Amino acid sequence: MAPVSRDRSVTVVGAPRLVTGVIERRRLTDQLQGDAPLTVVRGPGGSGKTVLVADWVAQTGPRGVWVTVDSATATRETLWGTIGRRLLATGSVPEDIDLARIGESLRAVNDVRALLRRSFENVPAPFLLVLDDFQVIRDAETVAEDLVDLLVNCPHLKVIVLSRYRTPLEGSMVAARVDLVRIVPPDLSLTLAEAHDVITSVKADIPIDVAAMHNASGGNPLLLRALVLGHGASPPEESETEEVARSIVVDLLYGTLRQWRAFMLRTSIPEAFDVALAQRLAGSPDAAEQLEALEAQGVLMRSGPAPHALYRYHPMLREVLLDKAREQLGAELIDLDRSVAYWSMERGTPETAIAHAVAAHDLNLVSKILLRDGVALLTRNGAYPHLAHLPVQEVVEYPLVAFAIALGANGYRRSRRRAEQYFHASVLGARQRAAGAGPADRVVLACIEAISLRVTRRPSQGVHAARRALRLMQEEGAALESLRDQIVVLRVQCALTLLRAGLLSEARAALQENEAYLGTMPVAAALSTISTEAALHALEGDMEAVAETISLVEDGPWPASIREDYPGAGYRLAQAVQALERFDIDGLRRYATTGVPHLDALDLRPYFVAVQVLADLFDGQPRLGPQRIERYLARSGRRRLTQPDRRILVPVLALLHLCAGRIGPAEQALASLPESSSTALLLKALCAHVTADHPAVVNLITRLGDQDLNPRLEVAAYTIAAASALRFANTGPALDALQKMAAVMVNNGLRFHLALIPHCDLRALGELAGRHRLNFVRDCLDPDGVPEIVPASASKVSLTERERVVLHALLRTGRLAQIADQLVVSPNTVKSQMRSLYRKLGVAGRQQALTVAYDLGLLEHDPSMGEAADA
């Protein structure tokens, strides 16, 4: 067989260009031509995998996409992102939003495979996807499952995978789901006839012992070609193919390719490079000619048209070149890696830039890359693999680097403690660097501080930094041009810090700054903005605004798979609160529990837990609530709720106690909140109402009136005030509070507050409104569908902290002296505290005390407070 010419027209985007003189191997191309949807070509370096498939593509001219995996495409997200861009580059696929956004969408979605299936629905039939160097992929098992799912659901798709090593695609479970063709090392070895054709195509005019050459090369096409080019070199006998290859490549470098050796050493530093980078690395003005000569020798692979072509050395050759470069170039390697880093940054491949900047030991450059491309890098966790090895003491002066490592480590539950060390370092570094930094740096440093403090459960400490960042974003304007693509994401992050600190109106104001850019910002940032706004409106009680923002989410230009994932978490919370206002238990559970994404790391997670607890309460299962909170603590690796979580979860715990008639535990839980807490004051007023303490209700509601309440708290306060006033025959105040309640209720679409008073009060208030011809108010008080959860009355037993400790000590022993020893106090002190405890419980002895205390909920473990013994 003579060498054949091939059609050079590009039908598979990204396919490498064939060198001249390719030998046709019909026995293998026939297998590629078959109907099987999946073909795996596996063989060592130089076995001819790439040339084989590229030759078949050139022969048959299918339409498709070819991706050669390297460090920039080695993760699931970056790989599918590259495939998505190349799918669009074929020109035969409509610019569907799923496909156009697939790169930035993958990190944000929960059901990646649903997104991939939708993306491939519009590709023309038949369509080919080739993945070369599959062994480089870091999460190969997951990508393999993605491919199989696509092949099962997209019958018009054909996939060819090339790999040096065995991949998960060769497993029996894959073969059971899709037809599979395997071309393995024995198949790739040249036959004697094929070896003759290769030798003839390389050195037709020199007599060569074909059988000896074939035997020495083991049938490996690259080794055979190298042996012929370096005729006279003989590899060691009995050597493995890889050892033979390295030996021949070394001979090649020091023999036939000697004149290009220095050029090759320097240009081997990057995985891929163009002519301009080759000139920069080698200091050679004739780099283009040298690359052309090397390509003719078969040691370079080229992809893409000039002048934007990229070149790659064969992996085996590059391994040897890198070894020699480390031996011979010494300190010069630092400058070469730095040049590759800058080139990669200019080309928009920040992961590769990070890798080479780290290799150059240049953390300042790493910081520059993170400043410019940090949002994209950190969203897909692209920086972490290259930075994870850096010790915390080395990065404390580089807060962006420390922050990137912290975020990466925080994604793995077992690394959370390590992440906290780096978050702490990022806060220290950000504060130290801020003084002499420029406007863009100051914004990013303030955001790093705000996010780090929020993630480490100290959002209130991050409020100052978040406010500072937001102020700088407003004041600096044009000076922040370098952050144009990141500023909207940073603003969302500052808003989340304010939200977690309980400053809902400030968070909402911050997000409103993003609204002017919704049409131009990245899809995940736009969705996060609207989704978080929906959550804020829901928490404040503006249900009219909730409905509007939910419509924006549902009608917006993003795939459902993104909407239902991390960026849409606030939207899901808003939907759950909508269901809460309708007392729709099924809806509550559906939106708050089913498929909530990334729940462990979610900023809104405690709100989801709170809504789930309320769903349990409405559904007649209040005992599930504390268990949910215990599970939340366990998954967070903590024994007690942090202060930010107390603000959200202690009120629902207190409500559970109150609804069970356990006023003492309810008030003890509320005592752990700040005295000025509006929610605590409101629930204390409700406790006072069911214990018939009207003066206390008036006092607490009056204190609430001095605060700037959101609609949710305001309408609840009016409702409790009206119910308490009516019980004490204060008709005038009751009617006044009712009318105010109705106005807020209707204007904001609220209804949940009706469940906060006993049904007897709700009916009495409705009758009062009817007698005074306030039909509008009476209709608002319709009890139909409102769950009856709050008892009409309850007795109050509230213990001091010390009495609670003594009560729990009684569980272990009834001996006075033993309790005194345990508590390190005198027996007389214990005796006094026990008398007080028995008097409050209305009992005369230990067993009665324990029975009554259990009935009142005084012995139950409060997950917000830790074990009672800890007190």
Side-chain angles (χ1 to χ4, degrees):
M1 289 180 290
V4 294
S5 61
R6 298 284 182 252
D7 180 6
R8 296 294 194 260
S9 61
V10 177
T11 58
V12 176
V13 174
R17 190 174 71 169
L18 284 168
V19 298
T20 56
V22 173
I23 301 302
E24 185 174 22
R25 307 176 72 185
R26 185 171 295 279
R27 65 185 177 88
L28 299 181
T29 54
D30 284 348
Q31 294 189 61
L32 297 174
Q33 187 65 35
D35 296 330
L38 175 62
T39 301
V40 174
V41 185
R42 171 168 54 85
S47 58
K49 303 182 297 295
T50 301
V51 173
L52 170 69
V53 178
D55 180 42
W56 173 74
V57 166
Q59 288 183 58
T60 56
R63 185 170 296 279
V65 165
W66 183 306
V67 175
T68 300
V69 183
D70 55 21
S71 62
T73 52
T75 67
R76 185 192 196 191
E77 292 81 11
T78 55
L79 176 66
W80 285 115
T82 301
I83 292 170
R85 289 191 293 275
R86 292 195 179 172
L87 281 169
L88 288 176
T90 63
S92 60
V93 182
E95 293 192 5
D96 172 77
I97 189 65
D98 275 22
L99 190 55
R101 304 278 192 169
I102 193 171
E104 61 184 271
S105 302
L106 281 176
R107 184 75 179 173
V109 301
N110 191 38
D111 192 351
V112 168
R113 286 170 196 143
L115 172 61
L116 293 176
R117 288 194 294 271
R118 283 195 296 273
S119 299
F120 275 84
E121 283 173 358
N122 293 321
V123 300
F127 198 85
L128 174 68
L129 172 61
V130 181
L131 297 179
D132 199 353
D133 281 341
F134 193 86
Q135 76 280 348
V136 177
I137 298 174
R138 289 199 282 271
D139 32 10
E141 287 191 10
T142 305
V143 173
E145 291 170 4
D146 293 343
L147 290 170
V148 172
D149 182 78
L150 273 177
L151 291 171
V152 168
N153 292 282
C154 301
H156 59 288
L157 181 65
K158 181 183 180 74
V159 174
I160 300 177
V161 169
L162 292 73
S163 176
R164 295 181 70 176
Y165 314 119
R166 188 177 180 88
T167 73
L169 287 166
E170 294 185 65
S172 58
M173 292 303 295
V174 172
R177 297 180 66 192
V178 295
D179 290 334
L180 167 67
V181 169
R182 296 166 67 247
I183 299 176
V184 292
D187 303 319
L188 290 167
S189 295
L190 295 168
T191 65
L192 196 61
E194 290 168 344
H196 175 272
D197 291 338
V198 171
I199 292 169
T200 304
S201 71
V202 177
K203 287 192 174 182
D205 55 340
I206 299 177
I208 294 177
D209 186 339
V210 174
M213 283 288 189
H214 181 260
N215 184 60
S217 67
N220 182 287
L222 180 70
L223 302 188
L224 180 63
R225 188 178 180 87
L227 276 171
V228 175
L229 286 171
H231 185 52
S234 55
E237 295 181 6
E238 306 293 330
S239 295
E240 295 294 330
T241 302
E242 292 285 339
E243 295 173 358
V244 172
R246 292 182 69 84
S247 173
I248 293 173
V249 168
V250 171
D251 287 341
L252 198 63
L253 283 173
Y254 287 91
T256 308
L257 302 178
R258 178 179 299 171
Q259 67 270 38
W260 296 302
R261 191 168 65 222
F263 177 86
M264 293 172 70
L265 287 179
R266 286 166 175 78
T267 54
S268 69
I269 305 304
E271 284 188 79
F273 55 93
D274 60 8
V275 173
L277 181 58
Q279 289 175 336
R280 195 184 311 176
L281 294 173
S284 174
D286 59 346
E289 290 79 6
Q290 288 177 291
L291 290 172
E292 187 175 343
L294 288 170
E295 186 184 4
Q297 292 292 331
V299 297
L300 268 181
M301 294 182 288
R302 166 180 158 177
S303 61
H308 305 296
L310 288 178
Y311 297 86
R312 287 180 173 84
Y313 289 106
H314 187 282
M316 189 184 308
L317 177 58
R318 182 169 179 255
E319 286 178 15
V320 174
L321 286 169
L322 284 174
D323 286 344
K324 296 298 178 184
R326 294 185 188 102
E327 291 174 11
Q328 298 175 22
L329 299 181
E332 188 182 348
L333 276 173
I334 291 177
D335 292 332
L336 295 174
D337 272 310
R338 187 178 289 112
S339 294
V340 176
Y342 276 109
W343 177 82
S344 302
M345 188 165 60
E346 292 162 6
R347 286 181 58 85
T349 54
E351 283 96 341
T352 304
I354 290 277
H356 286 280
V358 171
H361 310 293
D362 192 340
L363 295 186
N364 272 321
L365 178 53
V366 173
S367 298
K368 288 181 182 178
I369 299 166
L370 289 170
L371 182 65
R372 171 175 157 167
D373 298 294
V375 167
L377 275 169
L378 300 178
T379 299
R380 58 181 180 252
N381 211 18
Y384 181 63
H386 306 295
L387 303 173
H389 68 283
L390 297 173
V392 69
Q393 60 270 21
E394 190 173 331
V395 300
V396 71
E397 295 182 13
Y398 304 93
L400 275 163
V401 180
F403 183 69
I405 298 173
L407 276 186
N410 198 57
Y412 305 95
R413 189 181 301 172
R414 294 181 180 178
S415 302
R416 297 261 166 88
R417 288 189 178 180
R418 181 170 185 261
E420 290 202 9
Q421 293 179 327
Y422 285 89
F423 277 127
H424 181 62
S426 68
V427 171
L428 290 178
R431 289 172 177 172
Q432 292 169 2
R433 286 274 182 128
D441 286 323
R442 290 205 307 276
V443 167
V444 171
L445 291 172
C447 288
I448 283 176
E449 184 179 345
I451 298 168
S452 296
L453 290 168
R454 181 184 84 232
V455 174
T456 53
R457 301 178 293 279
R458 295 172 290 166
S460 58
Q461 295 180 35
V463 167
H464 178 68
R467 287 170 173 165
R468 185 168 70 251
L470 292 167
R471 186 180 67 252
L472 286 168
M473 291 177 199
Q474 285 186 322
E475 293 174 354
E476 296 297 341
L480 303 181
E481 178 62 22
S482 61
L483 296 179
R484 182 182 59 220
D485 296 333
Q486 306 190 61
I487 203 93
V488 290
V489 179
L490 296 176
R491 195 176 280 123
V492 171
Q493 291 300 316
C494 289
L496 285 171
T497 297
L498 295 170
L499 185 160
R500 286 294 278 122
L503 302 173
L504 304 187
S505 58
E506 279 193 58
R508 182 163 37 80
L511 290 172
Q512 286 172 349
E513 295 289 327
N514 271 7
E515 290 180 359
Y517 309 98
L518 285 175
T520 58
M521 68 174 68
V523 61
L527 180 56
S528 291
T529 297
I530 300 173
S531 174
T532 308
E533 280 188 327
L536 285 165
H537 289 311
L539 295 173
E540 291 180 312
D542 187 349
M543 302 310 293
E544 298 285 333
V546 168
E548 292 175 9
T549 47
I550 284 179
S551 295
L552 285 175
V553 172
E554 292 178 340
D555 299 337
W558 27 69
S561 49
I562 298 181
R563 187 179 67 233
E564 298 299 330
D565 214 281
Y566 189 90
Y571 154 75
R572 293 289 298 277
L573 179 61
Q575 286 180 307
V577 175
Q578 264 191 335
L580 178 73
E581 294 295 342
R582 297 191 300 266
F583 305 115
D584 175 5
I585 298 171
D586 291 339
L588 264 177
R589 295 203 185 282
R590 182 168 64 254
Y591 296 125
T593 63
T594 306
V596 177
H598 311 289
L599 197 53
D600 281 348
L602 201 63
D603 288 298
L604 297 175
R605 185 183 178 194
Y607 290 104
F608 278 100
V609 175
V611 171
Q612 291 172 27
V613 172
L614 291 173
D616 295 332
L617 177 61
F618 286 176
D619 204 20
Q621 304 178 72
R623 293 284 179 176
L624 289 178
Q627 293 177 24
R628 289 191 188 277
I629 296 174
E630 292 281 10
R631 187 161 59 249
Y632 168 60
L633 283 170
R635 293 184 68 84
S636 303
R638 300 192 301 276
R639 294 180 62 195
R640 304 183 185 186
L641 294 173
T642 60
Q643 191 58 43
D645 288 352
R646 283 176 184 272
R647 180 177 50 79
I648 300 164
L649 293 174
V650 166
V652 295
L653 270 173
L655 184 60
L656 290 178
H657 287 308
L658 190 156
C659 291
R662 300 191 294 265
I663 304 302
E667 291 187 334
Q668 286 167 2
L670 294 171
S672 69
L673 297 176
E675 287 189 8
S676 60
S677 166
S678 302
T679 308
L681 290 172
L682 184 73
L683 289 173
K684 286 176 183 177
L686 185 54
C687 289
H689 174 60
V690 298
T691 56
D693 189 352
H694 180 62
V697 174
V698 173
N699 177 53
L700 290 162
I701 296 296
T702 302
R703 289 172 61 188
L704 274 173
D706 296 333
Q707 301 189 19
D708 184 17
L709 301 180
N710 61 45
R712 184 172 300 288
L713 293 173
E714 187 179 13
V715 74
Y718 287 139
T719 306
I720 295 169
S724 182
L726 183 58
R727 280 199 186 187
F728 284 83
N730 296 331
T731 305
L735 287 169
D736 181 57
L738 276 181
Q739 292 179 77
K740 291 176 180 177
M741 178 217 72
V744 177
M745 177 180 176
V746 172
N747 285 337
N748 294 279
L750 294 168
R751 191 165 158 78
F752 168 73
H753 59 283
L754 297 179
L756 293 179
I757 59 171
H759 262 218
C760 59
D761 290 326
L762 195 57
R763 288 190 293 270
L765 290 171
E767 291 168 2
L768 175 67
R771 287 197 302 273
H772 288 79
R773 299 183 180 179
L774 297 174
N775 296 336
F776 168 69
V777 176
R778 182 197 60 200
D779 293 342
C780 288
L781 294 167
D782 181 6
D784 186 37
V786 178
E788 190 169 1
I789 56 175
V790 177
S793 62
S795 59
K796 177 179 178 180
V797 176
S798 184
L799 304 182
T800 66
E801 184 71 20
R802 204 62 188 170
E803 288 166 346
R804 287 199 307 121
V805 172
V806 170
L807 176 61
H808 281 81
L810 285 172
L811 282 170
R812 296 185 289 272
T813 179
R815 295 186 177 183
L816 197 65
Q818 199 169 348
I819 294 175
D821 286 343
Q822 289 175 0
L823 303 183
V824 196
V825 295
S826 72
N828 286 335
T829 300
V830 174
K831 186 184 297 184
S832 173
Q833 291 166 345
M834 285 177 65
R835 280 199 301 266
S836 172
L837 173 64
Y838 289 173
R839 184 176 65 255
K840 287 184 177 181
L841 296 176
V843 298
R846 173 178 176 258
Q847 193 57 50
Q848 282 184 309
L850 294 176
T851 302
V852 172
Y854 180 79
D855 291 340
L856 293 174
L858 298 172
L859 284 172
E860 293 184 5
H861 167 50
D862 186 339
S864 71
M865 310 285 285
E867 296 289 349
D870 293 342

